[in-house]
Amino acid sequence: MIFLPRGVSVRQNVNPARINIPEAMEKLRVGAFTGYLRFDAQQGAGVIIFKSGKLVSALFVDSDSQSRLIAYDAISRIFEIAIIGDAILNIYRLVPQLAMEIHALLHGKYVYKEQDLKLINVRGL
């Protein structure tokens, strides 16, 4: 599971199978959208990040193996699951700096993964 700041909600709990996703992404591009699209499904979670209408990154995390797909592979898997109709789409608008920080968070290297917060010295980090 991926926890991200929500920002300003644009659309929530949408079935992406009922949307022409490439057309919707074109509208986001033309509208200079900054934020992210989050796809949640039983198979995993996907995030597509936009900054000023440009697709910055995509990530898909498989729920079973926790394997990570990025870039074209992630978009392909997200679209595949969305077309089947097993996903829920949420769209959030963000300020450009936060969009880039989420990009860094999702594609950065994990220093501590799945640690209980009680065990982490936050001040020391």
Side-chain angles (χ1 to χ4, degrees):
M1 175 169 278
I2 303 170
F3 295 104
L4 298 174
R6 290 194 179 171
V8 177
S9 175
V10 175
R11 299 282 305 257
Q12 285 193 324
N13 299 320
V14 177
N15 181 350
R18 297 183 180 184
I19 298 173
N20 182 335
I21 296 177
E23 184 179 295
M25 291 182 69
E26 177 63 17
K27 286 182 182 179
L28 295 174
R29 185 189 70 77
V30 170
F33 175 75
T34 298
Y36 66 91
L37 289 70
R38 180 186 176 108
F39 296 82
D40 288 299
Q42 186 176 4
Q43 298 91 329
V47 177
I48 299 175
I49 302 172
F50 282 86
K51 180 184 177 197
S52 303
K54 295 179 182 173
L55 194 149
V56 174
S57 71
L59 171 78
F60 181 82
V61 178
D62 187 273
S63 60
D64 292 331
S65 65
Q66 293 300 308
S67 64
R68 300 162 59 91
L69 299 173
I70 60 170
Y72 176 79
D73 295 332
I75 292 173
S76 176
R77 183 72 173 129
I78 290 168
F79 282 12
E80 177 184 316
I81 291 172
I83 290 169
I84 295 170
D86 287 345
I88 298 293
L89 169 63
N90 294 300
I91 303 173
Y92 299 103
R93 184 177 310 278
L94 302 170
V95 296
Q97 181 179 351
L98 186 54
M100 294 312 294
E101 288 170 355
I102 288 175
H103 165 67
L105 172 73
L106 294 178
H107 294 283
K109 183 179 176 185
Y110 288 123
V111 176
Y112 295 101
K113 186 174 179 183
E114 298 178 11
Q115 292 289 321
D116 189 356
L117 288 177
K118 291 184 280 187
L119 302 176
I120 297 176
N121 179 359
V122 177
R123 288 181 193 219
L125 294 175

